[in-house]
Amino acid sequence: MTQVGEGHETAADEAGPVLTFGAPAVGEILAERYQLEQHVNNDSAGRQVWRGIDVVLRRPVAVVLRHPGGDSATEMLQAAVAASRVIHPNLVGVYDAIDEQQRAYVVREWVDGESLRDLLGAEGPLDPARAIAIAHSVADALTAVHATGMVHGNVHPGTTLIGDDGRVVLADARADAADSVEADVRAVGGILYFALTGHWPHAEVGRSALPDATRDSSGNPAAPRQVRAGIPAYLDDLTMDLLDRRVAAPAAEALTAELGRLDAAAEDEEFEDVGPLRFVQGGGGSTEPARSTRKILLGVGALVVIAAIGLIFGIRAINSSGKPDPSASTVAGAGTAAEPDAGGDSTAAPQSDPVKIPLTADMVRIVDPPRGERKDTGEAKYTVDDDSDTAWEMSRYDSPDFGNLKDGMGVLIHLPEPRTLAEVRIEVSTPGAAIDIRTGKTDPGDTSNGDKQIVKQYTKLSDTDTEAIPGNKLTLSGFDPDQKYQYVLVFLTKLPKNEDGPGYKVNVNEIELYGY
């Protein structure tokens, strides 16, 4: 957690600066201005967080130090500079960003209080009104960030801070290239879900040390109302729609307006009179309230069932009347392509839904092209064991492109015989990985040279450039339905930022292959 705060006055050390060049120490003054007073903790990226004081302006500050500085600290410093340009009451103020090569540090506002993560650890899930108020503040902060063309990239219960004065602030912008405006907005759904249930939906908004959402047999998260009683239906719908990638995410500005309306209703305790959600998912100027997509789908499904029942009874009525109606029988026959006609010919039935192809450890291996150390050999089995808690744990690299050592790494799937394929489903530990699917005719061998040939000879399913995925789960298709495949390569070409420390890294939890 990055703990920051405000309003804490402490006198500067009268003895003057402590000149050290190793680990920071209490009393040391950085840049002849920022005196370190207390080591608070280390944040999720392994940086040291200190409470300090600006001896020039006599105000408390938070100092975040990283070892070393230089190129490895570029992203942190750039994010700080960008964040300093956005002034908003729900954003932590950034005061300074300094690179000394040996170390780099960001100086920012200190806020007396605790993170949303720690708050729930002490008090448990929040009441709906308080959850709405916190999410409203976070969305408002994101509106200001997005208005500048930037993204925050690190909306999480650990970076959502609750001041002792009730102020809610968002801290620790990351500004990673893999982040997006949509991911920021969906993370507000994660904040709501966490505030209401105490769980953080990993697959929908990013892996975390926080407990994952309770899920059904299909992997879908339980709605807040299924977890605890007393949550209004409109709030339940809003939370789940924000987490559902099948539902278009609203702009942060529209979400802020909606949460503001709900916030006002909560203050007046008019929970049941709020009505449907008002932001329009598809954009445009319509002011008609937009209904939950899930409810629309249920309505459409019901109409389809009613129509099907009507058609069945209509056909039975025609057949039993003994008076065939030529026009009616033509319409009924139009929907029965599998039935033979008078001449005995038949039309092929539609292809069935794809089924999961069982994969075993002896059907997969790691592909690590030359200049790789091939240390991950043997870990491919964890990607096909139907256990999301096990994974191919990749090594850490200094840059997202594998430290310029190779084009990428992947898992080669060797089927016993050629199959007609439909799609590959992949689950990884961290959003932001770039993954593509490649196919070939043979496996040249589990050697450095064999892997080199695979990367050189295999063909990508798509001609477009591979883009970083916004979430933890990805479905890739593009297989030719008229062709059969035996060798399929799931290939990672870009790594996301390591969530557990410096550098870039991702774990591949599960790979599933579907075909006919």
Side-chain angles (χ1 to χ4, degrees):
M1 177 190 72
T2 303
Q3 175 68 45
V4 290
E6 159 181 16
H8 186 92
E9 295 293 342
T10 304
D13 186 354
E14 298 297 335
V18 177
L19 301 178
T20 62
F21 297 93
V26 173
E28 180 178 358
I29 294 184
L30 307 179
E32 300 181 349
R33 180 167 183 171
Y34 306 111
Q35 179 169 303
L36 302 179
E37 295 189 315
Q38 180 186 8
H39 178 210
V40 178
N41 57 29
N42 293 342
D43 72 5
S44 60
R47 300 170 297 188
Q48 290 192 12
V49 183
W50 287 72
R51 176 174 58 82
I53 187 168
D54 181 340
V55 297
V56 176
L57 297 180
R58 311 295 298 173
R59 66 179 175 185
V61 293
V63 182
V64 182
L65 293 108
R66 177 191 177 97
H67 292 265
D71 292 341
S72 64
T74 299
E75 182 180 300
M76 179 186 80
L77 297 173
Q78 288 178 342
V81 171
S84 70
R85 299 171 183 158
V86 186
I87 308 299
H88 190 275
N90 297 120
L91 286 171
V92 167
V94 178
Y95 303 144
D96 214 340
I98 299 172
D99 184 6
E100 295 180 348
Q101 296 301 312
Q102 181 188 12
R103 63 187 176 187
Y105 43 93
V106 172
V107 182
R108 57 193 183 193
E109 177 186 6
W110 176 270
V111 179
D112 283 326
E114 58 187 336
S115 70
L116 178 62
R117 176 176 59 192
D118 291 346
L119 177 64
L120 260 70
E123 300 182 8
L126 308 180
D127 63 78
R130 194 172 186 190
I132 291 170
I134 291 172
H136 181 204
S137 296
V138 172
D140 202 13
L142 291 176
T143 297
V145 172
H146 294 174
T148 68
M150 299 186 300
V151 297
H152 187 276
N154 198 18
V155 180
H156 184 270
T159 59
T160 302
L161 308 178
I162 318 298
D164 291 341
D165 58 357
R167 176 181 169 221
V168 178
V169 291
L170 190 56
D172 204 16
R174 188 171 61 193
D176 192 298
D179 297 315
S180 67
V181 167
E182 179 184 348
D184 276 354
V185 171
R186 295 205 184 279
V188 178
I191 292 294
L192 276 171
Y193 194 95
F194 180 77
L196 294 169
T197 68
H199 292 260
W200 180 252
H202 292 191
E204 290 73 21
V205 287
R207 290 269 177 182
S208 170
L210 296 171
D212 189 17
T214 302
R215 298 181 181 275
D216 61 22
S217 58
S218 299
N220 300 313
R225 296 185 81 187
Q226 295 175 305
V227 178
R228 56 180 287 217
I231 297 176
Y234 71 85
L235 182 57
D236 191 83
D237 282 344
L238 173 60
T239 302
M240 297 307 290
D241 280 351
L242 288 172
L243 298 178
D244 190 344
R245 297 188 183 279
R246 296 170 298 180
V247 179
E253 182 179 8
L255 179 58
T256 300
E258 179 62 25
L259 287 168
R261 186 173 71 92
L262 304 186
D263 200 358
E267 290 180 359
D268 296 334
E269 297 185 351
E270 297 176 351
F271 289 107
E272 302 305 324
D273 299 327
V274 173
L277 308 181
R278 290 179 180 173
F279 61 76
V280 179
Q281 300 283 9
S286 173
T287 58
E288 182 180 354
R291 291 177 294 174
S292 167
T293 297
R294 291 190 302 278
K295 292 178 179 178
I296 294 174
L297 291 176
L298 287 173
V300 172
L303 290 175
V304 171
V305 171
I306 293 171
I309 293 173
L311 179 61
I312 292 171
F313 278 99
I315 293 172
R316 287 181 178 176
I318 291 171
N319 290 338
S320 62
S321 67
K323 299 177 181 180
D325 184 335
S327 62
S329 60
T330 301
V331 172
T336 56
E339 291 290 331
D341 60 20
D345 294 333
S346 62
T347 304
Q351 197 168 33
S352 59
D353 292 335
V355 297
K356 182 179 176 182
I357 298 174
L359 299 177
T360 55
D362 60 336
M363 297 164 61
V364 293
R365 73 172 183 84
I366 301 297
V367 170
D368 188 0
R371 300 187 68 185
E373 299 180 4
R374 301 181 61 79
K375 295 188 300 184
D376 299 339
T377 298
E379 293 207 16
K381 62 184 179 183
Y382 298 120
T383 68
V384 295
D385 60 0
D386 294 322
D387 184 356
S388 294
D389 292 331
T390 62
W392 166 27
E393 298 187 4
M394 300 181 67
S395 301
R396 180 180 61 83
Y397 293 86
D398 293 332
S399 65
D401 55 355
F402 293 85
N404 292 315
L405 295 173
K406 48 197 169 188
D407 295 330
M409 294 180 68
V411 175
L412 177 64
I413 302 171
H414 174 196
L415 297 176
E417 58 184 21
R419 292 278 303 261
T420 302
L421 301 180
E423 63 189 27
V424 180
R425 300 179 189 178
I426 307 156
E427 179 181 351
V428 294
S429 60
T430 309
I435 307 174
D436 61 53
I437 300 299
R438 308 181 182 196
T439 62
K441 300 296 185 182
T442 184
D443 179 1
D446 189 3
T447 64
S448 181
N449 186 55
D451 290 353
K452 178 181 178 181
Q453 293 184 51
I454 285 176
V455 174
K456 181 179 180 180
Q457 298 173 3
Y458 275 37
T459 304
K460 289 174 59 176
L461 285 185
S462 173
D463 293 331
T464 59
D465 291 336
T466 305
E467 296 184 357
I469 61 175
N472 296 80
K473 292 185 177 181
L474 174 68
T475 298
L476 295 174
S477 56
F479 292 99
D480 185 344
D482 297 324
Q483 181 178 341
K484 293 186 176 182
Y485 302 85
Q486 189 169 9
Y487 297 91
V488 177
L489 175 64
V490 179
F491 201 59
L492 289 84
T493 58
K494 181 180 178 182
L495 300 174
K497 187 172 178 59
N498 182 14
E499 288 191 334
D500 300 321
Y504 296 81
K505 178 183 178 182
V506 69
N507 296 334
V508 182
N509 299 79
E510 286 296 313
I511 295 176
E512 296 179 346
L513 186 61
Y514 288 77
Y516 302 99

